[in-house]
Amino acid sequence: MRISQNENAVPERVSKAASGDTNMLERYSRIALGIIVCYGTLIRVIDLRTVGPYFADEVFSAVTAHDIIRHGTLFNGEIAGLLDRISFFLSGAEFAVWFGNGSIPTLRLVSVVFGLASIIGVYLLGSEIMNRTFGILSAAIFAAMPWSIFYSRIDFSTGEVLCLEIFAAFLGISGLRLAESWRVCLSIGLAAACIYLYTAALVSAPISLI
């Protein structure tokens, strides 16, 4: 009887130790991700107003945002349709108008938010493909890449589309692995949303899912 009890106690202790190691790894991963996001926030927000002159796309976005919210029209005077309003909402410009008067610096803050969300998305995608360590390394590299920082500091649709594509890929892969149809459907929805935001997503969105 004693031998039997000892044999049962060994797997139980091993299971508890493995569970403890997993919890510790998860805790350290969250701390590391928090540090990376803080670094990404600082490097993207500092001197945000001084990122060169305002680009034509940024001026166009600001004018369009004001026209849609205030008058329900596009820059050329046409009535804004459903797809126009959907793309306007997905880009975050609506929030910039309501909470920051739709100024270009406020629109750039929206891009910063999408950029930070992309860092988290890269971590989730890397963790899903490999493991948490790979996810942390991927997020750290992505947060420090010059082009990633640049597109997170200007109001340009590329940054928003990239963010949605990253989460679409993560949800698609994890949905297939877990056999959860809602993840796959949401992944397809995000990929479709990319097309409304940026025409080039007609090519990049399907590629990211494949």
Side-chain angles (χ1 to χ4, degrees):
M1 181 63 69
R2 290 181 179 176
I3 295 175
S4 178
Q5 290 177 347
N6 290 335
E7 289 178 349
N8 292 333
V10 171
E12 184 177 351
R13 288 196 297 269
V14 172
S15 177
K16 287 182 178 179
S19 177
D21 292 341
T22 302
N23 293 335
M24 183 176 297
L25 178 61
E26 183 176 356
R27 189 180 304 113
Y28 287 151
S29 297
R30 290 178 178 177
I31 293 173
L33 180 61
I35 294 172
I36 293 170
V37 170
C38 288
Y39 165 78
T41 303
L42 289 174
I43 202 170
R44 284 163 173 77
V45 172
I46 292 177
D47 295 330
L48 189 62
R49 294 174 177 268
T50 62
V51 187
Y54 293 152
F55 296 96
D57 287 337
E58 293 181 306
V59 176
F60 175 78
S61 296
V63 172
T64 302
H66 280 283
D67 286 342
I68 291 179
I69 287 292
R70 308 303 181 192
H71 310 293
T73 61
L74 300 177
F75 71 98
N76 57 5
E78 294 181 359
I79 301 298
L82 177 60
L83 296 183
D84 296 317
R85 293 182 178 275
I86 290 175
S87 62
F88 175 67
F89 175 80
L90 291 173
S91 68
E94 184 170 356
F95 300 99
V97 172
W98 287 115
F99 298 106
N101 297 321
S103 62
I104 292 179
T106 307
L107 290 171
R108 286 180 171 180
L109 279 177
V110 174
S111 297
V112 170
V113 172
F114 274 102
L116 297 178
S118 298
I119 294 174
I120 297 174
V122 168
Y123 163 74
L124 294 174
L125 181 59
S127 300
E128 181 65 30
I129 294 174
M130 295 285 289
N131 50 47
R132 286 192 179 93
T133 302
F134 182 78
I136 287 294
L137 291 175
S138 301
I141 294 172
F142 180 84
M145 292 181 71
W147 69 265
S148 171
I149 296 170
F150 178 73
Y151 280 116
S152 297
R153 287 166 60 81
I154 61 172
D155 180 44
F156 195 64
S157 298
T158 305
E160 288 124 12
V161 168
L162 176 63
C163 178
L164 295 181
E165 286 180 346
I166 290 171
F167 278 97
F170 162 69
L171 289 170
I173 295 173
S174 61
L176 292 175
R177 181 179 64 83
L178 300 173
E180 294 181 351
S181 57
W182 70 268
R183 288 177 180 254
V184 177
C185 291
L186 186 55
S187 172
I188 295 173
L190 290 177
C194 293
I195 297 173
Y196 288 121
L197 283 173
Y198 195 48
T199 307
L202 284 168
V203 176
S204 61
I207 290 176
S208 67
L209 292 180
I210 293 173

